[in-house]
Amino acid sequence: MASVVFENVTKTFGSFTAVAGVDLSIGDGEFVCLLGPSGCGKTTSLRMIAGLETPTSGKIFIGDQDVTGLHPKDRQISMVFQDYALYPHMNLADNIAYPLKVRGESVEKRHGRAREVADVLKIGTLLNRLPSQISGGQQQRTSLARALVYPSRVYLFDEPLSNLDAKLRLEARGFLNHLQRDMGMTAVYVTHDQAEAMALATRIAVMDQGRIVQYAPPIEIYRRPATTFVANFVGNPPMNLVPVEAAHGDGQLLLSADGLALGGLPMSSGVATALQASKALTLGIRPEHLTVAAPGAANAISGKLFANENMGPESLVTIERADGSRVTARIFTDDHIELGADVTLGFSLEHVHLFDSTGARIPADGEMPL
Amino acid sequence: MSGGAFLSRIGFSVLAALLGVLFALPLIWFIFAPFNARAEMGLALPDPWTLSNFATVFQNSFAVRALFNSLIQSVGGVILIGAAATLAAYALSRSTIPGKSAVTYVLLLFSSVVSGSAAMVPIFLIISAMGLIDTQLAVILVFAGGLLPTAMFILRDFIDGIPKSYEESAMVAGASPLQAFFDVALPVIRPGIVVIVVWAFVNIWGSFLIPFILLRSSEQMPASVAIYSFYSEAGTPIVTLLAAYALIYSLPVVLLYLFVSWRFGFRFFGGIKA
C-alpha cells in the first residue's frame, strides 16, 4: 500500500480542460472517493493515476515515486473498470490469473491463487465458465478478483457498481466496505453516486469543472458543505437552497424571502464580511431537517403542496413557492395533504446553512472541527 | 383475408418462384454437367452418372498445376493482407495521430484505382521495372496493394467498436503493449480478421485480369486463367471438361465459407458490460 499525491496536475484535451491544477494528497490506507457530475474530471484524474492518461502539466506520486511518465504496467496498481473489461476468450480462471501470467508465474501457481481469490468472492465454482456465461454481478466480482489477485500499491475503481441493478449494487457496496476495512487498502474510487461515496469513503473529493471543490471526510461534506455546489450534490434529495435578502437589525441578522418566516440569527464575523460584498445570501436547509408545522410558525417556509411521494418509511413533501422555486422535505409521518394546499415547513435554527453571494459557505463563529 | 389480398399474395408467390427458378437453373446445371459425359449447354440429368470428365481434367497437368498456383497466390496474398491490415488498422484505431481518418479515406480512394483496369499499364510497367514479371510474388504484391486499403478500412471500423478498456486493463495489470495486443486485443478482433481473410481469398482466387497480365509462362498461371485451356482451337468451350474443372475450381471457396462459419462464425462473444 502507498500514498498518492497530485501536485498541481492539469490535463487538457485540445481546448477542453478536464483537470485544472489539482492538488490532492491521499494517505496510505485511505479510501478516497472522487465525486462529481459527468465531465467534472474525476475519471480523467483516476486514469492519470493508472497511467492511462499523461498529465499536461504537474506531477503524480505513488509512495515516494514520481510516476508521472511511467507506463501503467510499471506502477504496481490495480484497476476495476466500469465495463469490467473481462477477456471474452478466456475462462474466469484465466481472466483472474492474467496479471500473474504476465508476471511469469507458473500455471499451477496462478490458477491456485485465482481459486483462492475466487473462493473469497464466491465465484470459485464458475472458474471454467466464459464471461458471457455468467451474470452481471458475477462479472463484476470477477473483475474485482482480477484486481485483487496480485499485490498492488493502489486500487483504482472507475464507477465499478454503476452497471449493477439496485439490489446487487447495495450488496457489492457493503462487500467493498468490508474489504477496505479488512485489507486497509489504499483506494481511489470514482463515482457520481453520492450515497456510494458517503458509504465507502474515508474522505471525499467533490469535483466540479476540473477542480476539487471540497476534500473532507463524508460527515464534514454532509454537515458543512463548502459551497452551494457541494450542498446541492450531496444528500438525497440534496439540500434546499433559498436565495435571501440580508439586513442588520439590533445586532442580529435578518433574512427575508418570499414565504420565509425567520427570527433573527446571530451576527457572526463571517456574515459581517460576506455582507460587505453583497446582501444577497443563500439559505440552505436539508430536507431531513424540515417538518410540517402549523401555519404562521416561526422559523418556517411555506408554499403550496406540489408533490407528496410516499417512500415507505418516509415521504418526500415538495412545496412550490410564489416565485416557482421548490423546497422538499423528508417527513417521517404519513399525514395526508391535499395538492395545492398551503403547507408550512418548519426547521430549527441550528440546521440553517448560510452561503455568501459567491456560493461559499459562511462558517459560524467558533466552529469546532468535526 | 379479402379476395384482393389473397390474389396479390398468390401473384407474389408465383413471381418469387419464377425468379427462384431463374437463379437455380444455372446452379443445377453446374452440379449436373460435370457428372455427365455428354453434357451440353442445355440442362439434362446425367445418364449414367460418371466421373470420366474429372479423369480427363486431371490428365491436363497445366490445369492441375494452375489450381496449385491459385492456392499459392491466394494464400500468400491473404497472409500478407491479413497481417498488414491487422497491424495497420489497430494502429489507426488506437493511436492518437491527428489526421488518421484522412489517411484511411485517401487510401480507400486509391485502392479502387490500384486494382482497377485503369491502372493496368502503370502496374505492368512498375512490376516490369522491378523485374518481377512472370512471378507469383508480383501477383501477390499487386493484390495486397489493391485490397489492403479496403481491408484496413473494414478492420479499423471493427476495432473502433471494441472498447479500449480490454487493453487498458491488461496494461494496468502489468502487460506490455505488445503482450496486451497478442493476449487480449488480437483474440477479440479475430472475427474481424476472419471476415477480411475470407473476402481477400475470394477476391484473389476469382481474379482473372491481374494474373493474366503479369504472368507469362504456363507454369505460373492460376486456375482462373487455366480454365481457358478447356476451349478448343476454334474458341468454343469443351463443355464437359469446362464444367468439371469449374466445379473443382469453386470448391475451395465453398469449403472456406463452411469452415469459417463452423470454426469461428461471425459472432462476438461479450465480456464488456454495456
Side-chain angles (χ1 to χ4, degrees):
Chain A
M1 301 296 160
S3 59
V4 176
V5 175
F6 277 57
E7 243 178 50
N8 194 23
V9 171
T10 295
K11 176 68 183 179
T12 57
F13 296 101
S15 60
F16 175 71
T17 303
V19 176
V22 161
D23 287 300
L24 179 70
S25 175
I26 296 165
D28 194 348
E30 258 197 296
F31 196 118
V32 168
C33 282
L34 304 179
L35 177 67
S38 48
C40 72
K42 57 189 192 298
T43 296
T44 306
S45 300
L46 189 80
R47 290 171 60 83
M48 286 194 287
I49 303 175
L52 299 171
E53 305 284 355
T54 312
T56 310
S57 67
K59 282 184 175 175
I60 296 175
F61 296 86
I62 297 176
D64 297 326
Q65 187 188 16
D66 181 352
V67 298
T68 312
L70 204 63
H71 191 274
K73 74 180 165 70
D74 301 319
R75 295 192 179 206
Q76 286 177 263
I77 48 160
S78 297
M79 184 162 171
V80 177
F81 288 75
Q82 181 174 8
D83 58 18
Y84 312 149
L86 300 177
Y87 313 131
H89 54 289
M90 298 183 195
N91 64 20
L92 260 53
D94 286 330
N95 258 290
I96 296 170
Y98 184 72
L100 302 175
K101 186 188 170 198
V102 296
R103 282 169 175 71
E105 301 275 11
S106 70
V107 181
E108 306 88 71
K109 205 170 168 188
R110 62 187 196 241
H111 278 177
R113 176 82 186 117
R115 176 163 294 280
E116 280 173 36
V117 178
D119 282 339
V120 172
L121 292 171
K122 300 195 169 55
I123 45 174
T125 56
L126 306 170
L127 288 174
N128 291 321
R129 304 262 192 102
L130 289 174
S132 55
Q133 296 166 334
I134 59 175
S135 73
Q138 290 163 342
Q139 290 178 348
Q140 203 280 329
R141 272 178 281 159
T142 306
S143 75
L144 187 60
R146 188 173 61 190
L148 296 173
V149 79
Y150 58 103
S152 182
R153 296 195 287 178
V154 182
Y155 293 84
L156 307 174
F157 299 89
D158 185 9
E159 310 212 17
L161 308 184
S162 61
N163 284 328
L164 296 178
D165 59 49
K167 188 163 170 268
L168 274 176
R169 182 158 45 211
L170 280 183
E171 197 181 303
R173 194 176 79 188
F175 181 78
L176 275 177
N177 188 303
H178 171 80
L179 200 67
Q180 142 75 2
R181 284 167 204 284
D182 203 39
M183 292 175 55
M185 53 160 78
T186 305
V188 186
Y189 187 106
V190 162
T191 181
H192 61 263
D193 179 349
Q194 56 92 24
E196 233 167 67
M198 295 291 288
L200 289 171
T202 53
R203 275 199 285 178
I204 298 175
V206 183
M207 294 189 74
D208 180 33
Q209 293 175 22
R211 291 172 198 284
I212 292 179
V213 188
Q214 187 172 11
Y215 182 38
I219 196 68
E220 190 175 334
I221 299 268
Y222 175 77
R223 288 197 189 152
R224 292 176 186 170
T227 66
T228 50
F229 176 83
V230 178
N232 199 31
F233 201 82
V234 175
N236 183 29
M239 186 184 282
N240 296 297
L241 298 170
V242 180
V244 290
E245 188 73 30
H248 292 274
D250 254 356
Q252 284 197 310
L253 173 67
L254 301 177
L255 301 175
S256 57
D258 175 70
L260 180 71
L262 192 59
L265 288 167
M267 179 61 84
S268 67
S269 59
V271 171
T273 314
L275 288 183
Q276 282 166 13
S278 168
K279 302 248 183 267
L281 304 183
T282 302
L283 177 144
I285 182 99
R286 291 210 175 270
E288 48 272 41
H289 296 143
L290 287 167
T291 52
V292 177
N299 304 333
I301 189 160
S302 55
K304 292 197 181 304
L305 184 75
F306 178 76
N308 186 357
E309 302 156 82
N310 193 319
M311 320 289 287
E314 84 243 45
S315 297
L316 294 182
V317 173
T318 305
I319 60 168
E320 190 168 70
R321 297 162 64 224
D323 62 357
S325 67
R326 287 167 200 155
V327 172
T328 299
R330 269 176 83 186
I331 311 280
F332 293 86
T333 57
D334 39 22
D335 297 334
H336 181 75
I337 315 170
E338 290 292 333
L339 270 185
D342 286 312
V343 175
T344 302
L345 299 172
F347 51 87
S348 86
L349 289 181
E350 73 199 68
H351 290 133
V352 166
H353 301 257
L354 281 177
F355 301 91
D356 67 18
S357 56
T358 65
R361 179 173 185 273
I362 304 173
D365 278 340
E367 230 171 44
M368 304 293 286
L370 286 169
Chain B
M1 192 183 287
S2 74
F6 185 68
L7 279 181
S8 86
R9 187 151 176 189
I10 293 233
F12 178 77
S13 304
V14 168
L15 190 70
L18 277 175
L19 277 174
V21 168
L22 211 62
F23 277 93
L25 281 177
L27 284 176
I28 295 169
W29 180 89
F30 188 72
I31 293 166
F32 283 170
F35 302 99
N36 187 345
R38 288 164 294 160
E40 287 168 3
M41 282 311 198
L43 193 59
L45 260 182
D47 182 30
W49 291 78
T50 169
L51 291 175
S52 66
N53 293 343
F54 292 97
T56 317
V57 163
F58 281 114
Q59 281 161 17
N60 181 338
S61 63
F62 167 55
V64 172
R65 186 183 300 138
L67 285 168
F68 185 63
N69 288 340
S70 278
L71 206 63
I72 290 176
Q73 289 164 18
S74 302
V75 171
V78 158
I79 290 171
L80 191 59
I81 291 164
T86 303
L87 295 176
Y90 185 74
L92 282 171
S93 172
R94 293 302 198 234
S95 71
T96 50
I97 307 164
K100 60 178 184 176
S101 43
V103 172
T104 326
Y105 284 108
V106 168
L107 279 174
L108 196 63
L109 188 70
F110 280 118
S111 75
S112 49
V113 178
V114 169
S115 51
S117 342
M120 278 309 146
V121 173
I123 284 176
F124 181 85
L125 291 176
I126 292 169
I127 294 295
S128 165
M130 291 168 77
L132 290 177
I133 287 291
D134 200 23
T135 61
Q136 314 259 23
L137 185 63
V139 177
I140 291 171
L141 286 177
V142 170
F143 273 117
L147 300 182
L148 250 181
T150 314
M152 278 163 55
F153 182 76
I154 296 171
L155 209 50
R156 199 200 78 161
D157 216 47
F158 187 86
I159 298 172
D160 279 348
I162 291 170
K164 278 186 187 177
S165 53
Y166 280 129
E167 297 107 287
E168 286 176 348
S169 71
M171 288 193 286
V172 168
S176 67
L178 217 58
Q179 279 174 315
F181 175 75
F182 282 107
D183 290 348
V184 176
L186 197 58
V188 175
I189 58 185
R190 196 178 60 189
I193 299 173
V194 167
V195 171
I196 295 301
V197 162
V198 172
W199 170 79
F201 184 91
V202 171
N203 258 286
I204 304 175
W205 185 264
S207 171
F208 168 78
L209 191 59
I210 287 172
F212 184 66
I213 288 174
L214 298 179
L215 301 176
R216 280 294 132 88
S217 53
S218 57
E219 293 85 47
Q220 308 281 348
M221 291 296 182
S224 54
V225 178
I227 207 164
Y228 283 86
S229 67
F230 298 107
Y231 279 65
S232 70
E233 304 279 324
T236 49
I238 308 160
V239 174
T240 47
L241 303 183
L242 196 66
Y245 193 66
L247 188 65
I248 299 168
Y249 174 52
S250 59
L251 275 183
V253 175
V254 175
L255 289 178
L256 183 68
Y257 272 114
L258 290 178
F259 173 75
V260 162
S261 78
W262 164 69
R263 180 67 183 81
F264 301 100
F266 296 107
R267 75 209 141 84
F268 187 58
F269 22 29
I272 287 282
K273 178 83 179 175

